[in-house]
Amino acid sequence: VQLQASGGGLVQAGGSLRLSCAASDRTFSIRNMGWFRQAPGKEREFVAGFTWSGWSGDIPTYADSVKGRFTFSGDPAKNTVTLQMDSLKPEDTAVYYCVARRGVAATYDFWGQGTQVTVSS
């Protein structure tokens, strides 16, 4: 599967950016897509994805560091996911990767090339 991400860039602290990712293979549904990021000198970390909650269906889940500021959503018709990033902080500066997995219990084994997000103070 090819994961094509777009929307990165440079923004001042407090600003917003919107990342989008389209999966080339429709066997990878949006419920199995998400975002990771890697800041300079740090390990890659989970940012957002969908978690199966049973009664409520798939719900977006977030890293604690981005809760309340980032919004993760998906468009099944377009097979795309979007990460709306508001109230950005310099510590959000990283390469953001769109990721995919084969199933809800699988690991994210498929990674896009990444898009740079830089937040200036």
Side-chain angles (χ1 to χ4, degrees), residues 37-40 89-96 116-120:
R37 69 184 181 184
Q38 186 169 24
K89 304 176 181 181
E91 51 263 44
D92 294 317
T93 295
V95 177
Y96 284 69
Q116 178 70 45
V117 170
T118 302
V119 185
S120 62

Side-chain angles (χ1 to χ4, degrees), residues 2 6 14 21 25 51-53 65 96 101 118:
Q2 289 188 333
S6 60
C21 177
D25 185 347
T51 299
W52 170 249
S53 68
S65 58
Y96 284 69
R101 59 191 179 188
T118 302

